[in-house]
Amino acid sequence: MKTLRTLTVVAALLAGSLGAQTAPALAAAPEKIKNVVLVHGAWADGSSWSKVIPRLQAAGLHVTAVQNPLTSLEDSVAATRRALAQQDGPTVLVAHSWGGTVISEVGNDPKVTGLVYIAARAPDAGEDFVALSQKFPTGPARAGVQEHDGFTKLSEDAFLKYFANGVDRKTAEVLYAVQEPTAASLFAGRTTAAAWRSKPSWYAVSKQDDTINPDLERFLAKRMNATTVELDAGHLSLVSQPDKVADLILAATGQHE
């Protein structure tokens, strides 16, 4: 009996010891993604996210919109890296249009948990994206590109009719007024990385896009094996359908299924 009692005590001590070792692992939960960094595209500025930001903030997310300089790929990447460095934990990177080039380059950062592309470019590492895009019909917005001193802007007619199709007139006029001049050389810049090859990705195709061909968007989304939604919207779906764009971003943060 004495031997039996001794074995029982030893067994209890061992069980307690093992419990103490495994309890922290069982209690540990995945860190919640609470940071979102937004990167705008060409012929725009950070205010293009103004309808999406309040929806993300209402869900409790910490949101930063990069003021993308659009002077060169290197400058835009540097601005995004600075914003990312200031985030205090896991972060989802989101881009519209040309901004997709930037997050494809920056997205390998260890803080980045996922990438969201809104009617955006998504080049492969070293890819000639201009050549790729020429395999698809050119959107009518391109005819409105005007160059001055090495920088481009869209004409008012092209901006309102094609770039901002589906956006109410007054809002589109404001966006036209604040469009950021874009270096003419910007679109030829090539990335050295394609973060979407190793990070989970989401893509919102704009079915009525007159700037980037919707079939090119579908090709990019399929190539990256992205979780994809198709929006009945023009190029600026982040303005015309902010609820659906916000929902896709929330899905990437784990807030929505």
Side-chain angles (χ1 to χ4, degrees):
M1 288 297 293
K2 182 177 180 181
T3 301
L4 180 60
R5 285 196 299 269
T6 301
L7 289 174
T8 303
V9 170
V10 170
L13 288 172
L14 286 172
S17 176
L18 289 171
Q21 291 174 355
T22 58
L26 292 172
E31 191 171 0
K32 186 178 180 181
I33 301 167
K34 64 177 182 178
N35 300 310
V36 174
V37 171
L38 308 169
V39 183
H40 67 79
W43 307 310
D45 71 357
S47 67
S48 59
W49 297 105
S50 61
K51 292 190 175 183
V52 173
I53 291 171
R55 289 162 169 80
L56 300 179
Q57 290 175 332
L61 297 174
H62 173 258
V63 185
T64 302
V66 177
Q67 292 297 347
N68 188 353
L70 302 176
T71 47
S72 69
L73 175 58
E74 293 75 17
D75 290 346
S76 297
V77 164
T80 303
R81 289 196 193 282
R82 286 193 296 271
L84 187 56
Q86 295 173 31
Q87 308 306 307
D88 62 358
T91 303
V92 168
L93 277 182
V94 185
H96 175 244
S97 195
W98 182 81
T101 304
V102 178
I103 69 169
S104 295
E105 178 76 9
V106 176
N108 282 335
D109 187 288
K111 281 185 180 178
V112 176
T113 61
L115 307 165
V116 183
Y117 294 81
I118 310 299
R121 292 180 169 220
D124 207 344
E127 185 172 49
D128 183 345
F129 196 84
V130 173
L132 174 64
S133 64
Q134 288 172 347
K135 296 179 180 180
F136 299 83
T138 302
R142 292 288 173 176
V145 176
Q146 302 173 331
E147 183 175 344
H148 301 282
D149 299 321
F151 284 82
T152 65
K153 294 186 78 172
L154 284 177
S155 68
E156 184 171 12
D157 183 66
F159 192 101
L160 299 179
K161 189 180 295 184
Y162 302 120
F163 190 73
N165 60 315
V167 177
D168 69 89
R169 178 80 180 198
K170 288 186 177 180
T171 300
E173 287 175 345
V174 171
L175 293 169
Y176 168 74
V178 301
Q179 69 168 304
E180 184 76 17
T182 299
S185 59
L186 190 74
F187 301 105
R190 298 194 189 190
T191 61
T192 62
W196 48 265
R197 287 198 172 275
S198 58
K199 298 291 176 80
S201 301
W202 289 256
Y203 201 108
V205 172
S206 286
K207 294 194 290 184
Q208 310 301 326
D209 203 319
D210 286 331
T211 302
I212 298 178
N213 188 284
D215 284 335
L216 173 55
E217 295 176 13
R218 294 183 181 104
F219 167 81
L220 297 172
K222 183 177 180 180
R223 181 170 72 169
M224 69 173 71
N225 196 30
T227 299
T228 305
V229 297
E230 296 218 358
L231 304 181
D232 191 15
H235 191 56
L236 297 181
S237 59
L238 66 172
V239 180
S240 64
Q241 296 199 20
D243 285 332
K244 292 181 179 179
V245 169
D247 283 345
L248 189 64
I249 298 169
L250 289 170
T253 66
Q255 303 289 328
H256 283 185
E257 293 296 328

